[in-house]
Amino acid sequence: MVLSKIPRDRNLTYGLVESLGQLIVTGEFDAKAFPTEGELSRQHGTSRSVTREAVKMLTAKGLLQARPRQGTSVTPETQWNLLDPDVLRWLLERKFSLRLLAEFTEMRLAIEPAAARLAARRADPEAIAHIRDGLRRMIAAGAGDEEPVTADIAFHTAILAATGNRFYAQLDPLINTALRISIRFTNRIKGRAAGIAGHDEVLDAIAAGDAERAGLAMHALISDALQLIEAAAENPGAAGARRSRRAG
Amino acid sequence: MVLSKIPRDRNLTYGLVESLGQLIVTGEFDAKAFPTEGELSRQHGTSRSVTREAVKMLTAKGLLQARPRQGTSVTPETQWNLLDPDVLRWLLERKFSLRLLAEFTEMRLAIEPAAARLAARRADPEAIAHIRDGLRRMIAAGAGDEEPVTADIAFHTAILAATGNRFYAQLDPLINTALRISIRFTNRIKGRAAGIAGHDEVLDAIAAGDAERAGLAMHALISDALQLIEAAAENPGAAGARRSRRAG
DNA sequence: TTGAGAATAATAATCATATAATATATGGCT
DNA sequence: AGCCATATATTATATGATTATTATTCTCAA
């Protein structure tokens, strides 16, 4: 089946949503007012239809609000829908902060152990095979750049899917985005071996149907990650925070 | 301060988003294909601008996707952003199912005890006052129709706010919607007194800074609710499921 | 018959322009 | 000063035209 890909860049509207989304979360409009439709159109070389549709999409994600005569404005940050995959992605990629990553990981610390417990109670053989496959890929992956990360993410999202709960499954794209960034820290500091051992323990408990052990193992995994992030947040010069080396 | 109200109904676009959102989640377009721009406009008596902008907002929430020549279509349910307050509201209000409510409550069972633990560790006096105020209102509320529910919700969202974690705070509108429906079950079956005692225990633990006790108390609270919902799901004729009496 | 490539057609995407609705600002009047 | 009418700026809505994309159909050669 062809996975009808969303043409994020071949499409003026979606392109504008991306640009504006990134500008908004980076605080570009904190000082100056958000432009009017006309100005936006001129600045980005798009027609008013395209501009309006982009603004509407950002409104749907809680980032903007518009009223006649009053103009369009960026909503207070508390109203942004952080649980929208795009919004979280813009924040983590364009306005990275250890604080935000820590807060997200703190939420994972509540969600994923519970997901592991549910998976242990409910996962069918096929779901367990998916989890196992993620771990297998983690082990097989050498020191490559992409595959270890992708495999780790696959492991975690397979567990979310195995809960049989749509709300847990829904966290997939969020955890996907956050993990892709988070793993840069955890892997650099603690060796891969330790990480794999922890993941193996989770899988083993789920496969054995031992909910308590699965939850504890997952909790340990994420608790480790959270501690690394918080340590880095308090000590910005240290190892984990040096991300720029590979960035270019 | 004037809380610039969003004009959901005085606005053709937002009105159309509401209508279409409800139609989509209720499965109106499962059989027939989703209409084209032109048809939608004709059917709802709106211009193409309005129609397109509404479709774009629903696209931003993951409910629709559009491609030239192929038309607009409802996305598979797994891609809907259930964590968008509007989407969850449409589902719970227009396509209520005990199954979905149970799944959401299952997620609350992971989130809210963790939130209570964080609140116990971090809440400042002001935040605790807000929580206490919610409980006070719960007690003060008679057998009225709205206030007991509103007060209960205020109690829970005050705890989310007290975590100091933006992602927990973000769950406010979701839990708001779900609780408004959920409470209809729990209150009808178990007496209010028991509920208040449980809430009081949570507040007491948070105020005392006892994270473990706060988490356990909150867990007990939600676990009770979940059991009621699951019981009702398996036994549709029983008390809790009879909601229609008061509906009109 | 089959496969590749070209022509067709349906649909969303984009642009342009005009009018309406609405909230703010302005200025005059009491 | 306070109130009311008027002007003004901005989004909201409507409409028509053009373009881009792509699924489908058709043609023709191997």
Side-chain angles (χ1 to χ4, degrees):
Chain A
M1 189 191 97
V2 178
L3 183 62
S4 75
K5 184 80 178 177
I6 300 159
R8 275 202 197 283
D9 38 351
R10 277 199 237 172
N11 185 303
L12 287 185
T13 303
Y14 293 156
L16 186 54
V17 168
E18 283 291 316
S19 307
L20 290 180
Q22 293 175 10
L23 289 175
I24 291 168
V25 303
T26 53
E28 189 70 21
F29 305 107
D30 285 358
K32 55 187 168 194
F34 196 81
T36 64
E37 284 181 1
E39 295 225 24
L40 267 186
S41 303
R42 246 172 289 128
Q43 287 170 10
H44 293 86
T46 52
S47 69
R48 269 191 64 207
S49 339
V50 166
T51 305
R52 280 186 58 82
E53 284 165 22
V55 167
K56 276 280 157 38
M57 292 187 77
L58 292 166
T59 302
K61 294 177 186 300
L63 268 55
L64 293 177
Q65 59 192 157
R67 298 176 69 80
R69 163 76 209 199
Q70 182 180 293
T72 305
S73 57
V74 176
T75 61
E77 199 167 327
T78 56
Q79 290 181 40
W80 297 357
N81 187 359
L82 299 183
L83 300 171
D84 180 285
D86 289 325
V87 175
L88 184 64
R89 176 168 53 81
W90 292 327
L91 278 168
L92 287 179
E93 289 185 353
R94 295 300 165 185
K95 201 200 181 183
F96 179 79
S97 94
L98 284 165
R99 174 76 197 285
L100 189 72
L101 184 59
E103 288 179 36
F104 185 78
T105 309
E106 201 168 73
M107 193 184 64
R108 287 183 58 205
L109 194 56
I111 293 282
E112 293 202 54
R117 284 194 294 272
L118 289 174
R121 296 216 306 264
R122 295 180 187 159
D124 55 34
E126 193 188 356
I128 290 178
H130 280 132
I131 302 171
R132 192 185 307 280
D133 196 54
L135 180 59
R136 189 187 52 68
R137 283 173 52 198
M138 280 179 71
I139 296 170
D145 215 29
E146 271 302 310
E147 173 63 5
V149 176
T150 310
D152 196 337
I153 291 174
F155 179 87
H156 285 269
T157 59
I159 291 175
L160 292 175
T163 61
N165 181 312
R166 281 168 274 183
F167 292 93
Y168 285 90
Q170 196 75 43
L171 295 166
D172 178 337
L174 299 178
I175 289 186
N176 211 303
T177 299
L179 259 184
R180 199 171 297 279
I181 288 177
S182 183
I183 285 172
R184 294 178 192 163
F185 285 88
T186 52
N187 266 8
R188 186 144 318 166
I189 297 175
K190 76 191 282 184
R192 280 180 60 246
I196 286 176
H199 284 68
D200 188 53
E201 167 72 3
V202 172
L203 168 61
D204 191 64
I206 291 177
D210 187 340
E212 266 327 295
R213 187 156 64 90
L216 289 173
M218 180 65 92
H219 190 282
L221 219 54
I222 299 178
S223 189
D224 279 359
L226 180 56
Q227 277 169 27
L228 289 175
I229 293 167
E230 283 177 342
E234 284 168 15
N235 185 10
R242 250 187 259 131
R243 290 167 50 248
S244 44
R245 222 182 350 158
R246 169 171 291 177
Chain B
M1 189 192 94
V2 178
L3 183 62
S4 75
K5 184 81 178 178
I6 300 159
R8 275 203 197 285
D9 37 350
R10 277 198 235 174
N11 185 303
L12 288 184
T13 304
Y14 293 156
L16 186 54
V17 168
E18 283 291 316
S19 307
L20 290 180
Q22 294 175 10
L23 288 175
I24 291 168
V25 303
T26 53
E28 190 70 20
F29 305 106
D30 285 359
K32 56 186 167 197
F34 196 82
T36 63
E37 282 182 9
E39 296 226 22
L40 265 187
S41 303
R42 246 172 288 128
Q43 288 170 7
H44 293 86
T46 52
S47 70
R48 271 185 19 252
S49 345
V50 166
T51 305
R52 280 186 59 83
E53 285 166 20
V55 166
K56 276 280 157 38
M57 292 187 78
L58 292 167
T59 303
K61 294 176 186 298
L63 267 57
L64 294 177
Q65 59 191 158
R67 297 174 70 80
R69 163 75 211 200
Q70 184 180 292
T72 305
S73 56
V74 176
T75 61
E77 199 168 326
T78 56
Q79 290 181 40
W80 297 357
N81 187 359
L82 300 183
L83 300 171
D84 180 286
D86 289 324
V87 176
L88 185 64
R89 176 167 53 80
W90 292 326
L91 278 168
L92 287 180
E93 290 184 352
R94 296 299 165 183
K95 201 199 180 183
F96 179 80
S97 94
L98 284 166
R99 174 75 197 285
L100 189 72
L101 184 58
E103 287 179 37
F104 185 78
T105 308
E106 200 168 74
M107 193 184 65
R108 287 182 58 204
L109 194 56
I111 293 282
E112 294 202 53
R117 284 194 295 271
L118 290 174
R121 296 216 308 264
R122 295 181 187 159
D124 54 34
E126 194 188 353
I128 291 178
H130 280 133
I131 302 171
R132 192 184 309 280
D133 196 55
L135 180 59
R136 189 187 53 68
R137 282 173 52 198
M138 280 179 70
I139 296 170
D145 215 30
E146 271 302 309
E147 174 61 6
V149 176
T150 311
D152 195 336
I153 292 174
F155 179 87
H156 285 269
T157 60
I159 291 175
L160 292 175
T163 61
N165 180 313
R166 282 168 274 182
F167 292 94
Y168 285 90
Q170 196 77 44
L171 295 166
D172 177 339
L174 300 178
I175 289 185
N176 210 302
T177 298
L179 259 185
R180 199 171 296 280
I181 288 176
S182 183
I183 286 173
R184 294 178 193 163
F185 284 88
T186 53
N187 267 6
R188 187 143 317 167
I189 295 174
K190 77 191 281 185
R192 281 178 60 246
I196 286 177
H199 284 70
D200 188 53
E201 166 73 1
V202 172
L203 168 61
D204 191 63
I206 291 177
D210 187 339
E212 266 327 295
R213 186 156 65 90
L216 288 174
M218 180 65 92
H219 190 282
L221 218 55
I222 300 178
S223 189
D224 280 359
L226 180 56
Q227 276 170 28
L228 289 175
I229 293 166
E230 283 177 342
E234 284 169 15
N235 185 11
R242 248 187 259 130
R243 290 168 49 249
S244 43
R245 221 186 348 161
R246 169 171 293 177

